Structure formats: structure tokens, C-alpha cells
Amino acid sequence: MPKLERAELWRVHLPLVAPFESGAGREDVRDLLLVHLETTEGDGWGECAALTAPLYTSEYVDGAEHVIRHHLLPRLFAAETTPEEAIRCWSPVKGHPMAKACLELAVLDADLRARGISLARYLGGGREAVEAGVTVGLQESIPALLEAVSGYVAEGYRRVKLKIVPGRDVEWVGAVREAFPDLGLQVDANCAYQISDAGHLRRLDPFDLLLIEQPLAEERLAEHAELARRVRTPICLDESITSAHVAAAAIEMGACSVISIKPGRLGGYLEARRTHDLCMARDVPVWIGGMLESGIGRAANAAVAALPGFTLPGDLSASDRYYRRDLITEPFRLEQGRLTVPAGPGLGVLVDVETIRELATAHDVLTAREAARDYLL
């Protein structure tokens, strides 16, 4: 069985094409945490979805690095590095799903590269390409919003997601719908509303939206169920869905009719597959959510989106939507509104180590001895 011999932690500042602002915060540069594992049978890469500040979830990138360095890696060095054993070895560590998902992805990548199996095939995906969608952050004005949407439609995107907050919602969405009557359109509230806003949110119903994503706070499943009874637009849960178990509960109580699957928020790609399987068995459509990933995380998300239950376009934009330079040698490109699912072993993409070195703000190498030294009980 393979053993972990060496681990690298990289921090990379990847400049965004333009600042991205949502109700969860503003990103000018994506501060990425990458993990590179070297095992006795091969190597693999993982990318952490956590953002710079704890505004989307309680996790943030500095905290994720601390957990990986001091709690997850020491356990992994002492274990076999099969994906199943990796998950068992760090299961005593409570919470921190994005840190766990990052390390799980690196373990999966190393294992599958060694066996010559793509991540998509391993997970059970059968599609060669997946429908792409694009997210438009909060804009300064309605004309600016229309200009942004127009540009993405011209590029070939057939689904657009608009970020909304109180004061920048009904009128703004209405303007986009009027300008693009046939566009697949959905909105994302990032928990910005209260159940008392149900009447206001009902004003979105005439715009024939695919869904409204996470309108209320993540823990308020009962209130989401009430809202679902009061609006016609389908309710989609994102931040609320932290496991397949929670997804089942949310569906059963009527809190949602669509689910956004984010492997980082769920704690890994295997839990993402379990959540997909559960939703598919209940005829609940799912789509893949994005977290401003580089090509490393985007390749993993495309592999998940190749599963049969992903019937709605996901947050799978081309690399140049966010970045002028990507961290893989062949950036993702939009082709007739779709992205190709990598078919090579593991993640199926070649990581551009030279670009990582050039953009790195920190780099550390850990061996079993060093990890044991850093281990915090």
C-alpha cells in the first residue's frame, strides 16, 4: 500500500481579472492554498476552497493551512494513503471540511494517477463535457450589470447567476430578464435575507428564474421550507448543505427543491458523490457550485459535474473568466457553452509548477518527522 513520503504546502496569490464582490465579501486576488503530496506510488495535488476571510463560511485560508499542517498531515503520514484510509485517519478532527477536502483531493489525485484512472471515471461520471455557467458579482449600477451579462452571453454562456442583496435585487434582475428574455438566469443571495422578506422575494417570481440560491441563513431550514411555500421560484440550498445527511433532511422537510453541491463545503469529493446519489434517488436536481477555483480545483469540479444527476449548468466558467493566468498548462476554454471534462489520470490536467513558483507567497515542505514535530493534540 502507498505511504506518504513528503508534503508541500503552497500559498499562491493569483490575480483576478477584475475584483469579484458578493454578499459574502470582495476578492481582488485569490489567496490559494495548495497541497502537493508525494507518495511511494505517485504524487497528487489538492486545492483548498476557503476564502481569505471567514465571510462565506467559518473557514478561512489561514485557518485551513493551520489545520492541515498541525492536525491532518501528521495523521496522514502515519496512515496508508488510500482515499478511504485517509478519511478514516482524520475523522477524529471535528469540522474544517474545506481543509479535509483539499487533502482528500491530493490523496485521490495521487492514487488515481498511479492507477491510470481519471477522477471523473472513479466517481462514476460519464459525460465528456459539461454545461458551463458564469457568476456575475454585485455591480455598481444596472447599466454595468447589463454590460457584464451581455459580454458573457456573447462569449457563449447559456446560464448566468446574479449575486443579489437587499437594494440590488428585483429591479436589477428585472432589467437583465428584460434584456435577455431567453437566458437561463438564477440568483444567489448568500444568506442576505430574512423570512420577513418573503413578500419582497416573491417579486422575483415573474422573471422565470431557474432558482434562488440560499436566500436565508444557513441554519434556518424550517424558514426555508416556509419561504418555499410562499414563493414560486425554486429554492436552492448552498451554505446549508454540509453533508448528505443534511441534504436528506432539507429535502424531506421541503426546505429546497434544488441543491448546489460544493465538495469543499461538504468535506470532500466522496461526500459530494454521496450527496449527488442521495439527491438523484429523490429526483432532486443538483449543480456544481464554484469558489473561484484555479484550474486544479476546476478540474475536480468538472469531474464531479460529469455525474448523471447534475442536470443544471454549474459554476464552471472558463479559466479566463477569473484569471489571465491559470495554474494548469492547458487552461479551461468554453466551447459551445460547455467545458471538456479532463479524461487523463487523476485530475487529468498538468499542473504548471513554474507559474506556482512565480506567484507563490509561501512554500513549505514537510516530512513525517517534521509533521510529527508540528502535531498539536
Side-chain angles (χ1 to χ4, degrees):
M1 299 294 288
K3 293 287 290 184
L4 178 60
E5 295 185 320
R6 186 171 180 265
E8 292 180 284
L9 299 178
W10 292 89
R11 291 290 289 271
V12 176
H13 275 186
L14 193 56
L16 289 164
V17 170
F20 187 84
E21 183 179 354
S22 72
R26 177 186 175 97
E27 293 281 336
D28 296 287
V29 174
R30 188 67 165 100
D31 181 7
L32 288 171
L33 168 62
L34 306 176
V35 173
H36 179 231
L37 303 182
E38 295 180 8
T39 76
T40 51
E41 294 188 5
D43 70 315
W45 287 86
E47 177 178 326
C48 184
L51 300 176
T52 305
L55 300 177
Y56 170 68
T57 70
S58 60
E59 283 188 273
Y60 60 104
V61 67
D62 286 343
E65 180 179 356
H66 180 93
V67 169
I68 289 173
R69 179 190 298 271
H70 295 293
H71 297 281
L72 304 184
L73 273 175
R75 292 175 180 273
L76 189 60
F77 270 110
E80 306 293 346
T81 51
T82 63
E84 296 78 10
E85 176 61 24
I87 291 172
R88 284 193 294 270
C89 85
W90 60 57
S91 60
V93 178
K94 305 302 181 185
H96 304 282
M98 292 183 179
K100 292 176 178 177
C102 174
L103 206 52
E104 181 198 271
L105 180 58
V107 171
L108 280 169
D109 189 33
D111 177 67
L112 296 174
R113 284 183 193 271
R115 294 196 281 149
I117 301 171
S118 72
L119 178 60
R121 177 184 161 196
Y122 170 80
L123 293 173
R127 298 190 181 104
E128 294 182 357
V130 293
E131 293 291 329
V134 67
T135 300
V136 181
L138 296 173
Q139 303 294 306
E140 294 181 356
S141 66
I142 290 177
L145 176 62
L146 292 173
E147 182 180 359
V149 173
S150 179
Y152 293 127
V153 171
E155 290 177 22
Y157 288 102
R158 294 194 284 261
R159 188 230 73 180
V160 172
K161 179 170 79 173
L162 308 178
K163 296 288 186 178
I164 60 170
V165 294
R168 285 191 275 182
D169 46 25
V170 175
E171 183 181 358
W172 299 56
V173 176
V176 173
R177 175 52 81 209
E178 183 178 3
F180 303 95
D182 300 320
L183 178 65
L185 190 63
Q186 63 193 60
V187 296
D188 183 6
N190 286 121
C191 309
Y193 296 85
Q194 307 289 330
I195 189 61
S196 58
D197 296 315
H200 180 74
L201 292 172
R202 193 162 53 238
R203 295 174 61 196
L204 295 170
D205 286 346
F207 303 136
D208 193 27
L209 302 176
L210 295 171
L211 54 91
I212 177 171
E213 182 182 348
Q214 197 68 45
L216 312 179
E218 61 188 77
E219 71 277 5
R220 295 180 179 175
L221 294 183
E223 291 184 0
H224 275 102
E226 179 183 346
L227 179 64
R229 292 189 292 268
R230 296 173 63 181
V231 301
R232 189 174 73 247
T233 304
I235 301 298
C236 171
L237 291 183
D238 175 11
E239 286 94 327
S240 296
I241 306 301
T242 54
S243 69
H245 176 78
V246 172
I251 294 167
E252 289 169 8
M253 67 190 304
C256 63
S257 55
V258 185
I259 281 179
S260 167
I261 289 181
K262 288 182 177 173
R265 191 196 57 233
L266 288 164
Y269 295 81
L270 302 184
E271 186 68 12
R273 180 176 62 184
R274 283 189 285 270
T275 304
H276 159 274
D277 293 349
L278 178 144
C279 291
M280 191 173 178
R282 289 161 171 77
D283 294 322
V284 173
V286 298
W287 55 281
I288 194 77
M291 291 287 293
L292 299 176
E293 290 91 352
S294 77
I296 296 171
R298 202 169 301 263
N301 285 351
V304 177
L307 288 162
F310 285 85
T311 56
L312 295 173
D315 292 339
L316 285 169
S317 311
S319 294
D320 62 7
R321 160 63 182 95
Y322 297 114
Y323 305 114
R324 292 187 179 89
R325 300 175 64 182
D326 207 338
L327 301 183
I328 55 177
T329 57
E330 293 293 331
F332 282 95
R333 292 181 172 84
L334 193 68
E335 298 179 2
Q336 297 183 330
R338 311 178 88 198
L339 295 186
T340 299
V341 177
L347 286 171
V349 294
L350 293 177
V351 176
D352 188 346
V353 180
E354 290 306 312
T355 295
I356 291 174
R357 291 186 186 279
E358 181 180 338
L359 299 178
T361 59
H363 174 225
D364 202 3
V365 178
L366 296 175
T367 63
R369 176 179 295 180
E370 291 161 334
R373 178 200 65 201
D374 289 342
Y375 186 30
L376 297 178
L377 293 177

